[in-house]
Amino acid sequence: MTKDIDLDDKRRNELSKQMVEDLRVIAELEQKPIRYFKANGNGVFCEVQVDYTDHKRSTK
């Protein structure tokens, strides 16, 4: 059973990396920066702004 969980984690990580790469390509083609998102305590993603001191804060 642990093998199934490990395989799921491995596949999830591969898909995550592919999604990030796709977002980079889209951002480059559109010449727009990638927006930053962070999951809140409920697992809902919210956009965050990055200020010049490299700290992230929620926009909502």
Side-chain angles (χ1 to χ4, degrees):
M1 184 163 184
T2 2
K3 290 182 180 180
D4 292 338
I5 293 172
D6 292 341
L7 182 61
D8 289 341
D9 287 342
K10 184 177 179 182
R11 182 69 179 138
R12 189 177 308 123
N13 287 336
E14 289 172 5
L15 289 172
S16 299
K17 288 178 184 178
Q18 183 61 50
M19 288 171 61
V20 169
E21 184 57 33
D22 291 345
L23 286 172
R24 286 184 207 204
V25 170
I26 291 168
E28 186 177 323
L29 290 171
E30 292 184 345
Q31 296 181 348
K32 294 181 181 178
I34 297 173
R35 295 181 180 181
Y36 292 89
F37 290 86
K38 182 178 179 180
N40 65 15
N42 296 325
V44 177
F45 283 90
C46 299
E47 183 180 350
V48 293
Q49 288 183 327
V50 180
D51 61 20
Y52 292 107
T53 57
D54 235 6
H55 298 293
K56 297 181 180 95
R57 58 185 165 82
S58 178
T59 58
K60 295 184 179 181

